[in-house]
Amino acid sequence: MTDLDSAAVSPSPHTMTATEPPPSRAAEARAAAKAFVATLDPRPAATTIQDLLLLVSELVTNAIRHAGAVTALAFGADADTLYVQVTDPSAARPRQRTPDLRGGTGGFGWPLVLRLSKRTDIRDHPPQGKVILVAMAR
């Protein structure tokens, strides 16, 4: 799946829970994801939680690296799906690039996000910026 053929993500029927303040590091985002998962009943499988932590880490790292910051991070869940929403100040859309196997410029994050997600949706966040909403299997 690429960002061009990602299916739109329907809003979760449950309220999205925002982290306050937004994370400034991937480790903070992972901690917020762990705290969110701890509130879920039933709790997702351990492998699903690991996938969620990796997904959140990649989304937040990409926002910091390519947009300069995360302006909001929120989580949601329903019976079948976990939702992650990341807002950043750049209108530039994520794009796939050839991964740098020498470790210099990355290129692995967005393909990993797409692989872990069931669906992704990227929306404008006026006056500038974007929101990336990802749905993954619970």
Side-chain angles (χ1 to χ4, degrees), residues 17 19 28-40 43 52-53 75:
T17 303
T19 62
E28 294 170 2
R30 288 189 301 273
K34 287 178 187 176
F36 173 74
V37 166
T39 68
L40 299 178
R43 187 171 180 183
L52 174 66
L53 296 177
F75 300 95

Side-chain angles (χ1 to χ4, degrees), residues 66-72 86-93 122-132:
H66 300 292
V70 173
T71 55
V86 176
T87 307
D88 69 48
S90 172
R93 298 296 202 250
I122 305 168
R123 301 176 186 158
D124 291 332
H125 189 257
Q128 66 181 25
K130 67 182 165 299
V131 175
I132 299 176

Side-chain angles (χ1 to χ4, degrees), residues 1-108:
M1 178 187 295
T2 68
D3 53 339
L4 299 177
D5 62 10
S6 299
V9 178
S10 299
S12 170
H14 299 280
T15 304
M16 296 291 284
T17 303
T19 62
E20 292 296 334
S24 60
R25 299 182 344 215
E28 294 170 2
R30 288 189 301 273
K34 287 178 187 176
F36 173 74
V37 166
T39 68
L40 299 178
D41 186 26
R43 187 171 180 183
T47 55
T48 301
I49 295 170
Q50 290 301 321
D51 287 350
L52 174 66
L53 296 177
L54 183 55
L55 182 100
V56 167
S57 188
E58 288 299 329
L59 287 169
V60 167
T61 297
N62 285 349
I64 293 167
R65 183 175 194 183
H66 300 292
V70 173
T71 55
L73 173 65
F75 300 95
D78 60 27
D80 302 313
T81 306
L82 297 174
Y83 299 91
V84 179
Q85 182 173 290
V86 176
T87 307
D88 69 48
S90 172
R93 298 296 202 250
R95 61 181 177 84
Q96 292 205 51
R97 326 182 256 131
T98 302
D100 179 359
L101 299 176
R102 296 180 189 160
T105 60
F108 296 93

